[in-house]
Amino acid sequence: MVSKNQKKLINSLYQKKYRKQHGLFVVEGKKVIKELLEAGFKLHSIYTTEANIFDCPEELMWSITKEELKQISFLATPQVAVALFYVPKSEEVRLEGVVLVLDDIRDPGNLGTIIRLCDWFGIKDLVCSKQTVDCYNPKVIQATMGSITRVNINYLDLKDFLNSKQSNVRVFGTFMDGRSIYEEKLTDNVVVVMGNEANGISSEIQKLITDRITIPRFGLDKKTESLNVATATAIVLNEFKRP
């Protein structure tokens, strides 16, 4: 059974300020919870209708009904369990291979997909502006499908970060008027910046870009204004990782 205080805590964690206050975040679904447990994320508690499927201390496990699960889940169709994990401490950014930088990504689904793309393409470090949606937002966690356990994510002042790295590495940015990514000589140990869904890379960050690139349009009419940022990220990372 879930107490009123437990429900209050769980439901509060759907807001960023309470995640920060408690140092906790919510994970839903058997697969993602198991991935976080296997990756060594510190567990606070699990609330589940199928207690026998998780390998964790009994004192952290709460057996609940399907009705109670609905009361603490943000999903239209709850998935067996809701767990609370402690927010881990990020590691320092390593300038090895490609470091992906996100300038003000607001959509949780986009961020979750981008984290999965980082995992898929072996991108170890993801740097987000402080205005980018919280990676521990439940919708982001759900969209990562466990990939958040394999990507080091930092929220930094992008201007300070890029200023500190610019003398050592090339900083690529995606623009509508850039040089075709298919014609650009792409190197290792670079920073790649992807911009906001509606406005692209901010003017302040544009000044710190050393290489402007674009994904050319091949449609006959060329009327499509832009690509979804997660789709664009997939294309860009694929080109940087091409042998």
Side-chain angles (χ1 to χ4, degrees):
M1 185 173 179
V2 188
S3 70
K4 288 183 179 180
N5 284 339
Q6 287 170 322
K7 288 180 184 177
K8 184 178 179 181
L9 172 62
I10 296 166
N11 291 324
S12 75
L13 296 177
Y14 295 117
Q15 296 183 52
K16 181 179 178 179
K17 65 178 181 179
Y18 292 114
R19 290 194 294 273
K20 186 174 181 180
Q21 178 182 319
H22 296 289
L24 297 169
F25 66 101
V26 179
V27 182
E28 296 206 45
K30 178 172 64 175
K31 178 186 182 298
V32 183
I33 291 172
K34 283 188 171 183
E35 286 220 32
L36 267 69
L37 288 172
E38 290 170 3
F41 276 57
K42 187 179 179 182
L43 177 67
H44 176 277
S45 51
I46 293 180
Y47 305 85
T48 179
T49 57
E50 299 180 20
N52 61 328
I53 63 176
F54 297 107
D55 182 17
C56 68
E58 286 187 13
E59 63 269 22
L60 302 182
M61 181 86 66
W62 298 84
S63 183
I64 63 174
T65 65
K66 290 183 179 179
E67 188 58 39
E68 287 177 314
L69 183 62
K70 289 180 181 179
Q71 293 172 10
I72 60 175
S73 172
F74 80 91
L75 298 174
T77 306
Q79 300 180 10
V80 180
V82 171
L84 306 187
F85 284 88
Y86 290 94
V87 175
K89 185 177 180 180
S90 298
E91 299 174 3
E92 187 175 346
V93 180
R94 299 150 293 189
L95 280 176
E96 299 174 2
V98 176
V99 174
L100 184 63
V101 171
L102 303 182
D103 183 13
D104 197 16
I105 300 302
R106 295 300 181 95
D107 183 80
N110 281 337
L111 179 56
T113 300
I114 289 170
I115 292 170
R116 287 186 71 188
L117 287 168
C118 287
D119 186 21
W120 182 267
F121 286 104
I123 307 301
K124 301 297 184 185
D125 288 280
L126 175 63
V127 177
C128 301
S129 67
K130 293 183 177 181
Q131 293 73 37
T132 292
V133 62
D134 181 18
C135 66
Y136 295 108
N137 176 307
K139 292 181 180 179
V140 176
I141 295 292
Q142 201 70 20
T144 72
M145 295 298 291
S147 288
I148 196 166
T149 64
R150 294 177 288 274
V151 180
N152 181 42
I153 305 171
N154 279 275
Y155 282 77
L156 304 174
D157 182 299
L158 294 191
K159 187 175 180 181
D160 290 345
F161 172 72
L162 294 176
N163 272 324
S164 69
K165 308 302 179 188
Q166 200 170 10
S167 60
N168 301 319
V169 299
R170 295 170 73 183
V171 180
F172 287 83
T174 50
F175 299 88
M176 293 300 293
D177 62 350
R179 178 180 170 85
S180 170
I181 191 170
Y182 306 121
E183 299 173 2
E184 186 68 38
K185 184 176 180 180
L186 305 177
T187 58
D188 223 2
N189 297 331
V190 298
V191 172
V192 178
V193 182
M194 305 298 295
N196 171 267
E197 291 92 339
N199 303 311
I201 297 173
S202 62
S203 57
E204 184 178 51
I205 300 305
Q206 284 187 33
K207 298 173 184 176
L208 302 174
I209 302 295
T210 62
D211 296 81
R212 297 169 67 99
I213 55 174
T214 194
I215 300 167
R217 290 176 293 186
F218 293 100
L220 293 177
D221 293 333
K222 297 185 178 180
K223 290 183 178 179
T224 303
E225 292 184 359
S226 63
L227 286 173
N228 168 272
V229 66
T231 301
T233 300
I235 295 169
V236 170
L237 292 183
N238 181 70
E239 288 304 306
F240 273 94
K241 289 295 185 175
R242 187 187 294 275

